[in-house]
Amino acid sequence: MALKETQDFQTMINPLLTAADLPSYKAIKPEHIEPAIDERLAANRTDLERLLAANTEPTWESLIESLEDLDDRLNKTWSPVNHLHAVLDSEALRAAYNACLPKLSAYHTERGQHEKLYRAYQHIADSPEYDRLDAAQCKVIDDALRDFKLSGIALPSEQRDRYKVIMQELTQLNAQFAQNVLDATQAWTKQVNDEAALAGLPDSARASARQTARQRGLEGWLLTLELPSYLPVLNYADDRELRREMYAAYSTRASDQGPTAGQWDNGPVMERILSLRHELAQLLDFNNYTEYSLATKMADTPHQVLDFLYDLAHRVRPQAQRELEELREFAYAQFSVDALEAWDIGYYSEKLRQHRYQLSQEELRPYFPVTRVLPGLFAVAERLFGIIIRPVEGVEVWHPDVRVYEMVDAQGDVRGRFYLDLYARPHKRGGAWMDGCLARRRIGDAIRTPAAYLVCNFTAPVGDDPALLTHSEVLTMFHEFGHGLHHLLTTVNYLPVAGIHGVEWDAVELPSQFLENWCWSREALDLLAGHYQTGEPLPEALYQRMRAAKHFQAGIFLVRQLEFSLFDFRLHREYDPERGGRVLEILDEVRQQVAVIIPPAWNRFPNAFTHIFSGGYAAGYYSYKWAEVLSADAFSAFEENGIFDAATGARFRKSVLEAGGSRPALASFVEFRGREPQIEPLLRLSGITA
């Protein structure tokens, strides 16, 4: 067979190169990945040059729409690979994934430094046509010109080359960081043969540990560092040594400490990432990486962010200190515990919660079966935003647990589809997230339906019972669904600003945090809570205890978030090539400023801080609190008008969800709220009284 015929045949059978919108997951093999990416990149490079050669007087229609085609087809090839790497990792898939990272980085750097392409965008921006474009189209052009500058378009050739090398290495280091965390998490397990060692653990946690052991061909019970296994031990296990052992294993993952010390150590990886980020920022004429990061965010300056965080800390820390002192006094009075260690905090906090409110997360779990929560979540979205969510059959998925749904509006039009992957399992990244599979866009005369991935890591069903969720897990599900609504309900037809695309990173959490508030409403809980055996609604007395406990240790929780935010921001702002990242030193300083709980010196939390070292939150973890100001203030409109007020829901859908990234997030908020955001609703909803 001739070479050309062989290439054509491989293209024909490669599932990553098909024209279908939704991926064929079962057909994708690791050996498909690198050839598919090579072909897409080669074709995109050729087509880009052909496109620019034909556009001596570029217009929106002749250039931008065609560029969307190039970006879209590359995303359709890479998105399923990136997703499978997160939810169904394997050695072969990881090798193929890692082999493609430098190729993709090089391609995106070339695009960002392509002078002819930059001049073509600038030509449109300077032409009379720009004044005739709609606001979303103008934002596409403006964002692209900004990104060209952030990609080093103005740099001399030697510095451009250095930029390319930095970006390639950072891409690989970010992936290595996440893979080290996953490997370290998966490597540690503890087999328990005597059930007495699990005293205090809820029945659901014991049943899950027994099921995990059986799935791996073991006797007894198996504990892991996956959160559905780890958190019940820290919060409920009476065996203090077991709590200490699991805390030590979890808090030293991917580090030079703990049971797998040095095996997947992210210490050198962090130092190299920080060094390269600092060099990148200075290459682009920023003083530090925080300034570079803020170039694409709502916040204007590092000082503005720091003032915001320290102001919150000033308001919150006294309350957190009081809460910790109350916990110490309780542990001493009730259990004769002289000193609380880090692995005691969750355990005695649960004891105090039960003592004060006669309530534990486990007592709520039977009322939140996933078979009730999921339809209830859909019912809440229907009442708020006028959409119906229904299951879709026949769509190929990557695991038997995965389900597919579609959103339909009042006119009967399908607005989006989403995959739902709820349960923890081996070879799946921890945490919860939403990611785009397809973005909405116009293709010819048709509008392409967007699609999203919604991923969680809840405890899987045990036996014949449905999965039973804690209330905090219900909050997580609502949170990720809020991101999904943002991506799927957009009415913007331009790929770079449709859905979550083009939304400033410190505003992207607005819809997700906003939707969490309905998990506390009696009216909403009646839709999503019911005992898994009897169907009995959440008893009013239990609901009142849940509401009373809503702000339990709110100060401790908030200062912990501020600790993460300030650590991240200072780490990237204060990097010094002479002194290195000073990771632990800066963390200690931040803890002295804002924290109330100081963990042991051997704790290596930063080594598994994937949000900032392998995710999108570098010098941006503050975004969670920044966006929560917006979300709390947005929710206060429903408090004023009615929790399910249809007119207010329709305004939020139109102003925020449908607008996507087509305009600045502040403009969307102001259109909805009628004014700029205020911080008081955040303090009130967070239970901060001072």
Side-chain angles (χ1 to χ4, degrees):
M1 187 181 289
L3 177 61
K4 179 64 167 65
E5 291 173 335
T6 303
Q7 291 172 335
D8 290 344
F9 180 70
Q10 289 174 341
T11 298
M12 182 175 65
I13 64 171
N14 193 322
L16 291 169
L17 296 174
T18 64
D21 277 343
L22 297 180
S24 178
Y25 294 102
K26 292 179 182 176
I28 298 171
K29 307 296 181 190
E31 58 265 27
H32 293 136
I33 295 172
E34 196 169 1
I37 292 299
D38 287 342
E39 179 157 333
R40 282 288 189 239
L41 294 178
N44 272 20
R45 287 183 171 105
T46 299
D47 290 347
L48 176 59
E49 296 308 318
R50 186 182 299 123
L51 182 62
L52 290 171
N55 269 278
T56 54
E57 293 292 325
T59 64
W60 176 274
E61 184 177 359
S62 69
L63 179 69
I64 309 302
E65 290 182 4
S66 297
L67 287 172
E68 278 195 16
D69 291 336
L70 304 188
D71 294 340
D72 196 33
R73 73 187 186 190
L74 178 57
N75 179 71
K76 284 172 64 177
T77 298
W78 182 245
S79 174
V81 176
N82 188 55
H83 179 66
L84 287 173
H85 175 250
V87 297
L88 206 66
D89 192 29
S90 70
E91 189 174 332
L93 191 150
R94 182 183 293 188
Y97 174 88
N98 287 336
C100 292
L101 291 180
K103 300 179 181 186
L104 288 161
S105 177
Y107 170 78
H108 290 302
T109 299
E110 288 170 21
R111 279 283 298 267
Q113 295 182 350
H114 200 301
E115 289 192 25
K116 284 185 180 179
L117 185 58
Y118 170 67
R119 288 199 298 269
Y121 271 95
Q122 192 66 59
H123 176 87
I124 296 173
D126 293 338
S127 71
E129 182 194 23
Y130 182 83
D131 297 327
R132 299 191 295 271
L133 299 177
D134 63 37
Q137 290 172 307
C138 290
K139 190 166 185 292
V140 170
I141 300 296
D142 295 343
D143 285 356
L145 290 173
R146 175 204 66 198
D147 292 342
F148 274 114
K149 293 173 183 174
L150 294 176
S151 296
I153 191 69
L155 295 175
S157 60
E158 185 177 329
Q159 291 180 317
R160 283 195 198 184
D161 290 342
R162 179 58 188 158
Y163 176 98
K164 180 178 179 179
V165 170
I166 290 173
M167 293 305 294
Q168 284 187 322
E169 188 175 351
L170 278 174
T171 300
Q172 293 173 304
L173 287 167
N174 292 342
Q176 182 185 345
F177 187 95
Q179 290 163 6
N180 284 346
V181 174
L182 177 61
D183 289 344
T185 302
Q186 300 282 336
W188 189 94
T189 60
K190 182 177 180 64
Q191 185 178 4
V192 177
N193 293 313
D194 181 2
E195 190 173 6
L198 302 179
L201 255 65
D203 291 342
S204 59
R206 296 190 199 199
S208 179
R210 179 177 282 278
Q211 180 170 275
T212 300
R214 287 175 175 170
Q215 287 170 345
R216 303 191 191 186
L218 300 172
E219 296 296 321
W221 297 261
L222 191 69
L223 303 175
T224 76
L225 296 183
E226 302 289 353
L227 286 180
S229 178
Y230 171 74
L231 287 179
V233 171
L234 264 289
N235 291 337
Y236 298 105
D238 294 334
D239 186 336
R240 193 183 198 192
E241 176 55 28
L242 176 62
R243 297 199 309 268
R244 187 209 63 77
E245 183 180 359
M246 285 197 72
Y247 174 86
Y250 187 85
S251 64
T252 57
R253 289 174 301 157
S255 79
D256 61 341
Q257 301 289 316
T260 58
Q263 200 165 350
W264 296 282
D265 187 4
N266 268 332
V269 180
M270 288 189 293
E271 283 294 334
R272 186 61 180 159
I273 287 174
L274 291 169
S275 172
L276 289 171
R277 285 175 178 170
H278 183 75
E279 184 183 354
L280 174 72
Q282 295 213 314
L283 201 61
L284 297 172
D285 207 26
F286 294 100
N287 289 316
N288 49 63
Y289 192 80
T290 58
E291 293 182 4
Y292 168 82
S293 172
L294 294 184
T296 56
K297 293 182 171 64
M298 282 182 70
D300 294 321
T301 67
H303 285 294
Q304 185 183 13
V305 174
L306 289 171
D307 287 348
F308 167 71
L309 294 174
Y310 281 121
D311 176 60
L312 266 181
H314 176 73
R315 296 169 186 256
V316 174
R317 194 172 187 235
Q319 179 169 323
Q321 289 171 323
R322 289 195 300 272
E323 291 168 355
L324 182 60
E325 187 57 34
E326 288 171 357
L327 182 64
R328 285 175 174 148
E329 291 174 358
F330 170 79
Y332 180 75
Q334 298 291 324
F335 300 95
S336 301
V337 176
D338 290 324
L340 288 179
E341 301 289 354
W343 46 90
D344 297 325
I345 299 294
Y347 179 77
Y348 289 108
S349 292
E350 276 301 313
K351 295 292 186 186
L352 177 56
R353 189 202 306 267
Q354 293 175 39
H355 175 79
R356 184 175 292 172
Y357 306 106
Q358 294 76 55
L359 180 74
S360 75
Q361 284 281 340
E362 290 303 313
E363 187 179 359
L364 292 169
R365 196 188 284 271
Y367 291 94
F368 292 110
V370 73
T371 49
R372 182 70 179 259
V373 172
L374 200 55
L377 167 59
F378 296 165
V380 168
E382 181 177 351
R383 293 184 63 174
L384 282 174
F385 307 121
I387 56 171
I388 295 172
I389 299 163
R390 61 195 185 194
V392 180
E393 302 298 332
V395 177
E396 194 171 306
V397 297
W398 55 91
H399 189 275
D401 289 342
V402 178
R403 299 290 180 266
V404 182
Y405 299 87
E406 62 185 11
M407 293 182 183
V408 182
D409 64 20
Q411 290 71 46
D413 295 326
V414 176
R415 297 293 295 274
R417 295 186 177 92
F418 61 94
Y419 299 86
L420 192 65
D421 185 354
L422 290 179
Y423 306 120
R425 60 177 176 268
H427 310 296
K428 180 181 178 184
R429 193 178 82 205
W433 68 90
M434 189 286 294
D435 198 6
C437 173
L438 291 172
R440 176 180 167 123
R441 63 174 296 224
R442 181 180 294 280
I443 303 175
D445 295 329
I447 302 297
R448 205 246 320 269
T449 303
Y453 306 114
L454 302 183
V455 184
C456 299
N457 271 279
F458 302 148
T459 303
V462 177
D464 296 329
D465 291 335
L468 303 178
L469 308 183
T470 64
H471 187 251
S472 63
E473 288 175 329
V474 176
L475 287 165
T476 296
M477 188 184 290
F478 270 67
H479 181 103
E480 300 309 331
F481 193 74
H483 282 308
L485 289 169
H486 201 188
H487 188 63
L488 300 178
L489 290 183
T490 186
T491 55
V492 181
N493 297 326
Y494 313 119
L495 190 67
V497 292
I500 58 170
H501 296 153
V503 178
E504 298 99 317
W505 202 254
D506 46 3
V508 80
E509 297 293 336
L510 161 58
S512 54
Q513 294 173 331
F514 162 82
L515 201 63
E516 291 180 32
N517 291 287
W518 273 264
C519 298
W520 296 98
S521 158
R522 174 83 248 191
E523 197 173 348
L525 283 167
D526 286 342
L527 298 173
L528 59 96
H531 197 280
Y532 78 103
Q533 291 173 322
T534 66
E536 176 195 7
L538 188 70
E540 181 62 22
L542 185 55
Y543 170 67
Q544 292 300 334
R545 299 206 308 273
M546 187 180 94
R547 289 284 305 183
K550 178 183 179 183
H551 301 312
F552 176 66
Q553 295 187 344
I556 289 176
F557 173 79
L558 213 161
V559 294
R560 182 78 167 135
Q561 292 297 303
L562 293 173
E563 175 189 324
F564 296 163
S565 301
L566 283 164
F567 166 66
D568 162 50
F569 210 73
R570 284 191 53 190
L571 192 66
H572 288 95
R573 187 170 185 245
E574 299 174 23
Y575 181 83
D576 183 347
E578 297 294 323
R579 302 174 66 191
R582 299 190 301 126
V583 174
L584 296 178
E585 182 182 338
I586 288 176
L587 181 58
D588 285 343
E589 289 176 4
V590 168
R591 284 173 172 161
Q592 293 302 320
Q593 290 175 313
V594 302
V596 295
I597 298 170
I598 307 298
W602 44 259
N603 178 291
R604 291 295 183 268
F605 149 74
N607 292 57
F609 198 180
T610 52
H611 278 76
I612 71 169
F613 287 112
S614 63
Y617 285 89
Y621 196 84
Y622 77 89
S623 301
Y624 281 102
K625 283 301 158 200
W626 187 276
E628 200 171 350
V629 172
L630 306 178
S631 68
D633 200 351
F635 178 68
S636 67
F638 288 86
E639 292 180 305
E640 295 163 7
N641 300 324
I643 201 71
F644 280 117
D645 182 67
T648 309
R651 277 196 299 115
F652 187 84
R653 171 176 156 173
K654 177 179 180 294
S655 299
V656 177
L657 300 177
E658 293 184 349
S662 65
R663 61 186 176 189
L666 182 59
S668 294
F669 178 90
V670 170
E671 180 180 283
F672 169 68
R673 202 67 181 94
R675 55 166 173 73
E676 294 204 354
Q678 299 174 353
I679 198 172
E680 285 72 20
L682 168 64
L683 298 174
R684 176 173 51 80
L685 288 174
S686 298
I688 305 305
T689 56

